[in-house]
């Protein structure tokens, strides 16, 4: 079968080049006589792979030496605990709740200290990023260990178009679903983390980029598992124990692909073009309507609905029949969601748009 | 290049059939039009993959319904914390220290309660499993939450040939490097865990098999990250968040291969034959000597040394020149280590033995 148009929210489409290279090398990596899957993480060959992955990521994002890059496991969910365990020195942090995952992060942090909700858009059904004025005001007191945001809300299809000004309070961001979608001004943050399975690679790798001075020796809470201690992992080069070797290898290939395709500026331009095509269609439609408010719309996840759940179901089924996969919305929102990460091409989006137009003409109101 | 003889301690050799199948399916899994790497973990296709992996594992090990199987991330190292966070109800556990990893497990548990060292062979350089009489005696008091062992010590090449009789105290075992090497009488344990990267699959998957009644609701310590709460993960079918989807898929293929090759009884017979070949040679040698005492020898990791570090280095270099990889010993022990996991064939071991014989005849003493 031909490859489908894959709009899955994550794990998600990977660049075909990455898959082709991985398939070709699977039995024998560059004449080593073994697969990367079989290679000691302490071998010279693997050392080159992980070092190249980190170096490429540093080039494409522009990560200065004052930040460390960690390749961990356990996903953003495990970071919801690791962040407070490492950074809640005085036991008080601020959280912006803009969707399901930022709410989970806030509740998890409550296990380790006080996790104040500084702003939330729950009352608006998370269809927009909350007003950040209270966040910026609260930062002025300078008594929070950090302020946490989820920069792109995969489920609701919203994203921050401006970051809160947190002054001297470190900004911590879950960037899982917008990582590598656009340039990232890393010096605005104390720490960012991302599950790789959207734009950066396969599921099973979590990337943490953390400012060196936030990882004091012995700074983590006593209950912090050694595995989750950022200082310890940074000192061990993410090899405190065996990392997800194959996952990191694939991430490295994705980073190389991003670089060869023009880097994050090019990724953003493409993602904005893909998003504009879909939002334009939604704004003109009498059948579909966008879930997210215009000022908060994501360029990674486009959420929309028909007027009834029956029409939604008909759309999802019709899409599948045309080789368009993964457009069913999250159960918290219903409707549809098209995740248009880097590896989803403009042609994929055009195929979706064409079916939306067809569906529109069949069900037009008035 | 031809595939090398891979004696790596982990990540380690995988069955060629598994690699061939994975390579063939990498661009398009069974007509789905996408790679397993790109597939939503909530999709029907992936559901089949993870369900089949668990079902196959249950068949080959013989895991009763009263035990749950979890596919997690973070390796044994993260389980060193997860085990006490979940099971240290009264704050007191017993640890047998038989090598590097069991020592790390014991020290990690000290963060969460009292982790008594019940027995250790540290004074003997960990060349044998400690005498278990004090362990069995201590179990009689019935005031420990669990007793923890590391069943096979990868670094020193020792393994338990008898389990301690722990009476009503749950036995918890890190079985990373002997999992699937031989039959496992799961009902002797309360919990076993294994990093997959020895016999079960690639790095990045941790398998936990835990007795249902040990996972009470809310039983984990308040500081336990939600990700590490066994009850929560069991209720979510290991999908509290996105698991290492591709890693679990490969584990499933390895489990199928084990089953098709005759299951764990056949694996044990082969492993004993491979081990006997090497230990026999070591016991006759005037150049090499085995590190582990005969009664504690592992059938998964065979450790040995020459009389000088210079000869060791010459052996490792000579082996590489003959396509024999991964035989350098761990730095804590020096010398050599041949890890002869399931996917290492008798032919691989014969190639190593032939070079040992050659080396022996060149350096024979007397």
């Amino acid at each position: 079968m031909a490859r489908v148009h894959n709009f899955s929210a994550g794990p998600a489409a990977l660049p075909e080049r990455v898959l082709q290279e991985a398939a070709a090398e699977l039995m024998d990596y560059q004449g080593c006589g073994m697969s990367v899957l079989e290679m000691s993480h302490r071998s010279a060959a693997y050392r080159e792979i992980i070092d190249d992955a980190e170096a490429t990521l540093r080039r494409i994002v522009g990560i200065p030496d004052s930040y460390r890059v960690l390749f961990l496991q356990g996903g953003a969910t495990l970071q919801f605990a690791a962040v407070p365990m490492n950074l809640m020195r005085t036991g008080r942090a601020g959280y912006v709740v803009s969707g399901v995952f930022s709410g989970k992060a806030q509740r998890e942090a409550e296990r380790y200290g006080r996790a104040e909700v500084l702003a939330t858009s729950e009352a608006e059904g998370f269809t927009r990023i909350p007003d950040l004025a209270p966040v910026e005001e609260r930062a002025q007191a300078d008594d929070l260990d950090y302020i946490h945001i989820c920069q792109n809300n995969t489920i609701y299809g919203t994203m921050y178009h401006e970051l809160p000004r947190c002054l001297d309070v470190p900004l911590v961001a879950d960037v899982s679903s917008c990582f590598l979608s656009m340039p990232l001004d890393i010096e605005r943050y104390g720490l960012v983390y991302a599950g790789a399975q959207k734009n950066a690679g396969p599921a099973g790798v979590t990337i943490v980029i953390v400012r060196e001075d936030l990882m004091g020796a012995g700074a983590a809470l006593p209950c912090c598992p050694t595995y989750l201690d950022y200082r310890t992992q940074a000192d061990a080069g993410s090899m405190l124990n065996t990392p997800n070797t194959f996952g990191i290898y694939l991430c490295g290939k994705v980073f190389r692909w991003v670089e060869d395709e023009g880097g994050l500026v090019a990724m953003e331009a493409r993602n904005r073009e893909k998003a504009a095509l879909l939002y334009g269609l939604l704004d003109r439609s009498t059948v579909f309507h966008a879930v997210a408010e215009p000022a908060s719309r994501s360029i990674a996840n486009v959420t929309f609905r028909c007027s009834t759940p029956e029409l939604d179901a008909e759309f999802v089924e019709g899409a599948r029949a045309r080789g368009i996969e993964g457009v069913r919305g999250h159960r918290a929102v219903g409707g549809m969601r098209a995740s248009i990460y880097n590896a989803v091409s403009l042609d994929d989006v055009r195929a979706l748009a064409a079916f939306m137009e067809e569906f529109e003409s069949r069900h037009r109101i008035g």
Side-chain angles (χ1 to χ4, degrees), chain A residues 36-37 46 196 200-205 243-253:
Chain A
V36 173
L37 287 159
Y46 193 73
V205 178
N244 179 345
T245 49
F246 191 74
I248 296 167
Y249 152 82
L250 288 176
C251 287
K253 286 192 179 294

Side-chain angles (χ1 to χ4, degrees), chain A residues 25-313:
Chain A
E25 292 172 347
L26 205 69
M27 299 293 296
D28 180 7
Y29 176 73
Q30 300 190 353
C32 283
M34 64 175 79
S35 174
V36 173
L37 287 159
E38 303 174 295
M39 204 175 268
S40 170
H41 56 301
R42 307 284 181 199
S43 66
Y46 193 73
R47 182 83 260 165
E48 268 183 39
I49 289 170
I50 191 170
D51 286 351
D52 186 71
E54 178 173 340
T56 310
L57 181 63
R58 283 184 176 274
R59 282 196 307 276
I60 61 178
V61 177
I63 302 171
D65 290 344
S66 51
Y67 286 74
R68 299 295 291 267
V69 175
L70 309 179
F71 294 106
L72 303 178
Q73 300 179 56
T77 298
L78 191 51
Q79 293 305 310
F80 296 166
V83 164
M85 282 178 159
N86 278 276
L87 303 186
M88 249 193 190
R89 307 272 160 79
T90 72
R92 192 165 198 159
Y95 279 73
V96 181
V97 176
S98 56
V100 170
F101 292 104
S102 50
K104 288 186 188 214
Q106 185 270 333
R107 289 191 298 279
E108 189 80 356
E110 287 279 0
R111 292 173 185 261
Y112 308 103
R114 182 145 176 230
E116 290 178 34
V117 177
L118 305 184
T120 176
S121 48
E122 191 172 5
E124 294 88 12
F126 296 126
T127 53
R128 63 175 182 83
I129 300 298
D131 174 23
L132 298 175
V135 181
E136 299 185 343
E137 194 176 316
R138 184 68 185 78
Q140 287 172 16
D142 199 20
D143 63 346
L144 297 172
D145 290 319
Y146 60 88
I147 290 173
H148 181 281
I149 64 170
C150 177
Q151 194 162 328
N152 185 91
N153 299 284
T154 322
I155 291 176
Y156 295 93
T158 63
M159 69 180 271
Y160 285 70
H161 290 270
E162 294 289 338
L163 294 177
R165 286 178 297 271
C166 297
L167 305 170
D168 290 334
V169 183
L171 178 63
V172 173
D174 176 356
V175 295
S176 293
S177 50
C178 59
F179 189 57
L180 308 186
S181 276
M182 65 183 101
L184 185 71
D185 183 1
I186 195 73
E187 294 184 276
R188 295 284 306 269
Y189 306 85
L191 184 152
V192 301
Y193 61 92
Q197 69 274 13
K198 318 287 188 177
N199 266 321
V205 178
T206 319
I207 296 161
V208 176
I209 307 174
V210 51
R211 213 171 65 205
E212 184 80 52
D213 67 287
L214 292 177
M215 304 183 290
L221 303 186
C223 66
C224 181
T226 305
Y227 180 87
L228 294 180
D229 186 313
Y230 294 142
R231 177 78 267 161
T232 303
Q233 284 284 8
D235 289 347
S238 305
M239 295 235 217
L240 176 71
N241 64 342
T242 316
N244 179 345
T245 49
F246 191 74
I248 296 167
Y249 152 82
L250 288 176
C251 287
K253 286 192 179 294
V254 173
F255 302 157
R256 284 274 182 183
W257 175 83
V258 168
E259 186 169 50
D260 291 345
E261 294 285 311
L264 299 186
V265 170
M267 292 298 128
E268 179 173 16
R270 283 192 204 177
N271 289 328
R272 289 199 181 277
E273 186 178 4
K274 292 181 289 181
L277 181 58
L278 296 178
Y279 287 123
L281 200 155
L282 292 172
D283 288 340
R284 291 188 306 272
S285 175
T286 61
V287 173
F288 303 107
H289 57 275
V291 171
E293 292 187 15
S296 295
R297 286 174 176 174
S298 170
I299 63 167
N301 312 96
V302 178
T303 47
F304 56 102
R305 282 198 200 95
C306 298
S307 50
T308 68
E310 290 70 30
L311 272 180
D312 290 341

